[in-house]
Amino acid sequence: MAGVDYTRILERVKLSVQRARLMSDEDLEAADHAHEVGTYHAPTQPGVIGLRTGPGVFFPEVPGVPTLAAIIDDIWLADRDLSKTLTSETVTQYYVFLVRTILEGSETLNLSTIKKLFADMWQLKIVAWGVFRALHGATIAVDEPLELGPFTIYNWEAHGDRIELRYPPHYPGLHKRHRPGEGDLWICTEVVARDSDRAVEIADERFEQFEAVIAFMLGWDARWQEIGILNYQPTTRLDVIVLTEEHYGGHRGTERRGTGIPVDVDAPWFRNTDVGHDLLWKYLLEDYGTKGAVDLHSRVLRTVIWAGKASRDRDCGRKLVQFLFALEALFSQQDHTQTLSERLAECVALCLGDTSESRRSYAKRTKDLYEKRSALAHGRTQSIVPQDRRDAHTFVRDCARAFLTRPELSVLKSIKDFNEWIFAEKYR
């Protein structure tokens, strides 16, 4: 495909192949740190995922010679289509198979060889995968599977037949063998990829975004009500007894960590139009599409995801840093006329303030929070009070909602459009 620099890749592969050598099975078994020193089993046939038979190939780490990992990155990242649809592990199998054939003398290394390597991988069929994971801490009461943007939530008992109709099992009872725990649900997202491992990687990125979006919507309740897929924290109790040398201190308490109350994900709140929750699912669908979300929609999503991560974090300092990351995701730009602190202060003030006095207050407080964030990030202070976290949370939430619900902001598509709005606001 156009855009791949075959010549550059060929030159780097030549350096790697000159140093590589075949290893027998006995040599490979004797290598205690096989992967660490660059040994890799080549598959008998490329494309047979997970197959590790045949002679091993040893790639020594030599100064000035690209490592195996560096070569794989060169190939994997040379074409966006490959990196989106194949794992680097699959690319490694194809590359090591090629090197083995060269070392065995059945293949000659030249530009055509490199082009054929890419062509063989491109020939792998791109298919749609439905990736399912257990969803913890949630309930649904609807008769139908619940759709939230690019995600579908199933009650396994009630909707198992629908899943089998959508994804026919490869053998009878497959879906019944793979079940979540009692009371849990399945969440599914559909992705396109050439291999199932890459499909899971893509889906897991989306599942983490789902967790963050839900946490943003839960807001202050995210500590006690949490929906989890990959990062679920079940309820745990931490008992404490305080003693002195002289006597029993008499203080015993229990701290509860993790979720307590199941979240009803089919509640109207998670698709509420007044606060823009309905648009967040739409933006995710946009973002996962072939064209991706427009600039400001993507910025709103990144802001919400950072805010959701912050909401789930127990550490006040990390919360503050992540909430400020969220504001940066929404408002930052390449502009040398303002410091980032000044930029954030101005944007927050103009988005949230409706009088000169309130805007000055928002600007001052935003600068103060940013200074604390910078001090934390550079290890200068740990002095964060709960009000800092609460204010940062409020600013991020209200700014995101402004872009979701206010007509004059929700119609904007790019940061350039927003800058023009800022200019008009300053001088109206």
Side-chain angles (χ1 to χ4, degrees):
M1 284 190 180
V4 177
D5 189 346
Y6 297 110
T7 302
R8 175 182 177 275
I9 292 174
L10 173 62
E11 294 307 313
R12 287 173 62 78
V13 169
K14 283 180 178 178
L15 293 173
S16 175
V17 171
Q18 286 171 2
R19 297 288 185 173
R21 70 173 187 269
L22 293 174
M23 291 184 71
S24 67
D25 289 343
E26 292 76 15
D27 291 336
L28 194 59
E29 289 174 4
D32 292 332
H33 305 289
H35 287 284
E36 294 177 19
V37 297
T39 305
Y40 196 90
H41 259 312
T44 302
Q45 298 176 15
V48 182
I49 309 305
L51 190 60
R52 300 288 190 278
T53 59
V57 181
F58 180 64
F59 297 86
E61 293 188 3
V62 179
V65 176
T67 63
L68 174 61
I71 293 289
I72 297 307
D73 282 348
D74 287 342
I75 297 170
W76 189 50
L77 300 176
D79 178 62
R80 190 165 182 265
D81 177 65
L82 284 183
S83 61
K84 284 178 63 178
T85 58
L86 286 178
T87 62
S88 61
E89 174 72 12
T90 301
V91 174
T92 302
Q93 290 190 35
Y94 271 79
Y95 175 69
V96 175
F97 178 80
L98 171 64
V99 172
R100 190 178 74 184
T101 60
I102 292 170
L103 295 177
E104 290 175 336
S106 56
E107 186 73 74
T108 302
L109 180 58
N110 53 41
L111 202 59
S112 296
T113 312
I114 300 300
K115 289 182 178 180
K116 183 177 182 301
L117 171 66
F118 279 88
D120 287 343
M121 291 187 288
W122 283 325
Q123 285 178 2
L124 289 174
K125 185 179 179 181
I126 296 178
V127 297
W129 305 82
V131 182
F132 290 76
R133 281 198 182 273
L135 177 65
H136 307 282
T139 62
I140 59 173
V142 294
D143 295 330
E144 300 290 325
L146 176 65
E147 292 189 7
L148 294 172
F151 304 98
T152 305
I153 299 172
Y154 296 91
N155 179 309
W156 199 256
E157 296 298 329
H159 307 138
D161 292 342
R162 296 171 186 268
I163 298 173
E164 292 200 8
L165 285 173
R166 177 68 182 86
Y167 304 98
H170 293 284
Y171 57 87
L174 172 66
H175 294 145
K176 293 181 180 178
R177 294 170 185 265
H178 298 274
R179 304 168 63 90
E182 184 178 353
D184 289 329
L185 307 171
W186 278 113
I187 184 169
C188 173
T189 188
E190 289 198 351
V191 302
V192 293
R194 285 183 164 90
D195 68 52
S196 60
D197 288 340
R198 185 64 181 126
V200 172
E201 289 178 353
I202 297 168
D204 282 349
E205 291 174 7
R206 294 185 182 184
F207 289 144
E208 290 196 327
Q209 292 174 348
F210 176 88
E211 291 175 333
V213 169
I214 289 289
F216 171 83
M217 293 177 178
L218 288 171
W220 304 114
D221 294 327
R223 178 176 173 182
W224 304 113
Q225 289 186 295
E226 175 187 336
I227 292 177
I229 305 167
L230 300 171
N231 303 292
Y232 181 67
Q233 183 177 2
T235 302
T236 56
R237 286 176 40 168
L238 300 178
D239 293 332
V240 59
I241 301 174
V242 182
L243 304 174
T244 70
E245 292 182 0
E246 290 81 17
H247 62 278
Y248 172 68
H251 177 79
R252 180 173 182 170
T254 298
E255 179 184 4
R256 185 180 70 179
R257 290 186 180 177
T259 58
I261 306 170
V263 179
D264 181 7
V265 287
D266 60 357
W269 175 249
F270 295 105
R271 286 165 289 178
N272 187 288
T273 58
D274 294 335
V275 293
H277 290 173
D278 59 326
L279 286 181
L280 288 177
W281 302 119
K282 179 183 175 183
Y283 290 176
L284 281 171
L285 268 175
E286 237 181 68
D287 199 45
Y288 298 162
T290 54
K291 294 183 179 179
V294 299
D295 179 30
L296 276 180
H297 294 179
S298 180
R299 284 172 177 264
V300 170
L301 280 178
R302 293 199 303 272
T303 298
V304 165
I305 289 166
W306 272 116
K309 290 178 180 179
S311 297
R312 303 179 72 191
D313 203 315
R314 293 181 56 83
D315 183 88
C316 276
R318 288 197 302 265
K319 279 180 179 286
L320 180 65
V321 170
Q322 290 176 99
F323 281 131
L324 269 294
F325 281 169
L327 287 178
E328 291 179 35
L330 188 58
F331 296 127
S332 64
Q333 63 172 0
Q334 295 295 327
D335 183 1
H336 301 294
T337 63
Q338 284 180 305
T339 65
L340 185 53
S341 173
E342 291 169 343
R343 167 72 175 179
L344 297 184
E346 179 180 75
C347 292
V348 171
L350 292 173
C351 283
L352 304 185
D354 55 5
T355 65
S356 296
E357 183 179 353
S358 65
R359 287 179 172 179
R360 281 193 293 270
S361 176
Y362 276 118
K364 182 177 184 303
R365 183 58 172 147
T366 302
K367 284 186 176 181
D368 176 54
L369 293 172
Y370 186 83
E371 288 303 314
K372 291 193 175 187
R373 170 257 186 229
S374 297
L376 272 171
H378 294 94
R380 296 198 301 270
T381 182
Q382 295 292 329
S383 178
I384 301 297
V385 298
Q387 190 60 46
D388 294 332
R389 182 255 303 166
R390 286 192 289 268
D391 285 349
H393 187 169
T394 301
F395 289 3
V396 173
R397 180 199 64 199
D398 291 351
C399 284
R401 285 182 179 174
F403 279 88
L404 292 167
T405 61
R406 284 169 51 181
E408 71 275 20
L409 292 176
S410 62
V411 297
L412 304 179
K413 302 299 183 185
S414 67
I415 197 67
K416 180 177 180 292
D417 295 339
F418 176 64
N419 287 338
E420 291 173 357
W421 180 86
I422 285 281
F423 183 82
E425 279 295 298
K426 286 166 65 175
Y427 298 106
R428 67 184 176 92

